[in-house]
Amino acid sequence: MHYSLLDLAPVPEGTTTREALKNLGELAEHAERLGYHRYWLAEHHNMPGIASAATAVLIGHVAQRTSRMRVGAGGIMLPNHAPLAVAEAFGTLSELYDGRIDLGLGRAPGGDQMVMQALGVTPQRAEQFPEEVAELLRLFGPHEPSAPINAHPGAETGVPLWILGSSLYGAQVAAHFGLPYAFASHFAPAALERAFEVYRERFQPSAAFPRPHAMLAVNVFGADTEAEAKRLKTSMQQAFYRLRTGQPGKLPAPVDDIGEVIPAGALAQVDEALRMSATGTPAQVEGQLAELIARHRPDEVIVTGQIHDHAARMRSFEIAAGALSNLERANAA
């Protein structure tokens, strides 16, 4: 079972976007040394605390600074982009970086109605998602001399497509096309179990994926003490609460008592949304990850975690890698 890393290039309070992007490069190199299989970046717009809006640009940056790890999008919000433009961008990345590029696709806009308007996107584009996935599969496939449009670059690169989702819809699309499926359980876990069931039950084997391949997303907040790990988590709890209440901003600094910052009722909702998390010491993180893996039986785990301090975030992903590596060895044995 591979383990991978999802990065949103967080911009902590008191820092700049330039610093966040510098941290991203350092984290990517760190992740490769730690044995992470993939390093994914996600498309978000109009969010001061997330610097991964130009996702393909950052994928190229990470791929340039690494040599073995797969690098890709988790994901590109397809309604925001013409399939041909996506195929040309990711086909170019694939040619530049020896086929190490992944392309995860989502049908959400990656922003609100104002963002959609600014991007020139209509709500109806999301309804075309299956057709546009099919078109991307064609564009990354063999060159078709009779077709009016081919992707150059893109044709014959075979860039692997993933379907992302937080509902049963994405599971059905992934199963129909015989593609791997990544569920956004790190912030929307409600439909996780049923989505995995639907995906596995309805999966139609494809040439690239004869068997279903389901990815579980988990937040990790690891530290040398349980108290410090719980404190680190408060940054993401605050960010999630602020986003839900229409107050997006940079990633907040951690606090000693989250109950003093978020009302009890709202905190319960935040913690429910973030319940797919492993928090604590290395041993606690390993135990919690083991429980989640045993319950949901993923083929791959991707970890993330919005942590304010860069050094603490590097350490947390180190703890996650150690835990997942131990579990991988135990499973192999």
Side-chain angles (χ1 to χ4, degrees):
M1 186 189 71
H2 291 306
Y3 55 92
S4 300
L5 192 156
L6 172 64
D7 188 6
L8 304 185
V11 186
E13 289 180 345
T15 69
T16 65
T17 297
R18 180 170 295 182
E19 291 173 280
L21 296 179
K22 177 178 179 292
N23 292 342
L24 178 148
E26 292 177 359
L27 178 59
E29 293 177 352
H30 186 54
E32 184 164 76
R33 289 192 296 269
L34 292 170
Y36 281 96
H37 182 61
R38 307 178 202 276
Y39 193 102
W40 277 6
L41 293 140
E43 178 185 349
H44 293 272
H45 298 284
N46 197 34
M47 295 187 181
I50 295 176
S52 56
T55 315
V57 176
L58 292 186
I59 289 170
H61 175 62
V62 171
Q64 179 66 37
R65 295 186 63 153
T66 57
S67 59
R68 301 180 306 279
M69 190 168 55
R70 297 196 63 81
V71 186
I76 290 294
M77 301 299 104
L78 192 51
N80 297 345
H81 311 275
L84 177 61
V86 174
E88 290 170 340
F90 280 78
T92 300
L93 287 167
S94 184
E95 298 284 16
L96 283 170
Y97 300 109
D98 302 320
R100 288 194 290 130
I101 304 300
D102 297 327
L103 174 54
L105 300 169
R107 67 189 288 264
D112 57 19
Q113 293 292 329
M114 296 298 292
V115 166
M116 293 177 67
Q117 184 177 347
L119 291 171
V121 178
T122 64
Q124 291 72 32
R125 273 294 302 279
E127 299 173 6
Q128 303 171 29
F129 186 70
E131 292 79 10
E132 294 188 349
V133 170
E135 176 65 359
L136 277 169
L137 287 168
R138 184 191 74 80
L139 290 169
F140 287 128
H143 173 74
E144 299 179 0
S146 61
I149 296 292
N150 283 281
H152 302 292
E156 304 190 10
T157 58
V159 172
L161 300 189
W162 289 68
I163 302 300
L164 314 180
S166 58
S167 69
L168 302 187
Y169 182 85
Q172 294 168 349
V173 173
H176 173 77
F177 286 106
L179 295 173
Y181 177 54
F183 191 87
S185 41
H186 59 303
F187 71 87
L192 169 63
E193 293 184 10
R194 183 58 185 147
F196 272 11
E197 288 176 3
V198 167
Y199 172 62
R200 288 164 173 152
E201 289 170 359
R202 302 186 184 183
F203 185 82
Q204 299 182 26
S206 61
F209 291 93
R211 293 179 299 278
H213 188 96
M215 178 188 278
L216 178 71
V218 181
N219 300 296
V220 173
F221 306 95
D224 294 324
T225 68
E226 182 180 3
E228 178 58 17
K230 289 182 176 179
R231 186 174 185 274
L232 295 176
K233 184 179 179 179
T234 64
S235 290
M236 190 164 181
Q237 289 170 305
Q238 292 177 81
F240 205 85
Y241 171 67
R242 292 181 184 181
L243 183 62
R244 286 283 181 92
T245 55
Q247 309 169 69
K250 292 186 177 182
L251 183 66
V255 295
D256 293 327
D257 185 356
I258 191 65
E260 293 183 353
V261 181
I262 304 178
L267 181 58
Q269 294 177 344
V270 168
D271 287 344
E272 171 60 23
L274 302 179
R275 64 181 167 85
M276 296 298 295
S277 298
T279 307
T281 64
Q284 289 172 319
V285 166
E286 183 171 335
Q288 292 167 37
L289 287 172
E291 290 178 8
L292 293 173
I293 290 168
R295 185 183 314 153
H296 299 291
R297 301 178 293 109
D299 301 289
E300 187 166 342
V301 172
I302 190 164
V303 296
T304 189
Q306 306 291 73
I307 293 174
H308 186 271
D309 179 74
H310 178 54
R313 190 164 184 252
M314 298 268 279
R315 172 62 178 147
S316 181
F317 283 125
E318 182 179 339
I319 289 170
L324 289 163
S325 178
N326 290 341
L327 294 172
E328 189 177 36
R329 285 196 295 270
N331 183 60

